[in-house]
Amino acid sequence: MAEPEFTATGVRIGKRLRSLTRAGQVRISDGRLELLTSYGSEIDSAPVQAVRASKPWFAHDDRALADVNGTRYTLTLGDHDPAPGEPGPPAARRFIEAVREAAGRGR
């Protein structure tokens, strides 16, 4: 298995007003985006070309939206990148950039 292109842990993943996990994982590896629970169970996954990642208009900087298989998920990542060697999720901006780069869409 290849090294993941993007990994974030401690991510709150929600669908509409319902929280699915408060410490989930987001991973982009081998051209697929995976949303996982804190136990590693798959919530949803799709080829990264079929995923749309964006920033909500009126939300904090730590939020991102991901449309996966027709379902919109709200991801709460970090509001800033953690210091090197420090635990914590990367910024939402990095997640959006990682999805675009993995899909070959650039910026």
Side-chain angles (χ1 to χ4, degrees):
M1 177 183 263
E3 186 72 23
E5 299 158 25
F6 178 86
T7 302
T9 57
V11 178
R12 180 182 293 258
I13 302 173
K15 184 165 70 171
R16 298 194 182 207
L17 297 176
R18 182 174 164 231
S19 178
L20 300 174
T21 183
R22 295 189 312 173
Q25 301 173 35
V26 176
R27 184 172 34 206
I28 298 174
S29 180
D30 296 329
R32 285 189 74 76
L33 171 82
E34 297 176 308
L35 303 177
L36 308 169
T37 66
S38 57
Y39 298 108
S41 300
E42 185 176 292
I43 295 171
D44 208 345
S45 71
V48 78
Q49 289 85 2
V51 174
R52 204 173 90 213
S54 61
K55 179 97 180 75
W57 281 17
F58 299 106
H60 295 283
D61 287 339
D62 62 349
R63 300 266 171 99
L65 297 174
D67 290 330
V68 182
N69 295 326
T71 304
R72 177 170 286 177
Y73 294 96
T74 304
L75 309 175
T76 306
L77 296 109
D79 56 354
H80 61 280
D81 289 328
E86 294 292 318
R93 173 185 44 78
R94 279 218 16 237
F95 165 72
I96 295 167
E97 289 172 2
V99 168
R100 290 180 181 156
E101 288 174 13
R105 292 187 286 248
R107 289 189 179 181

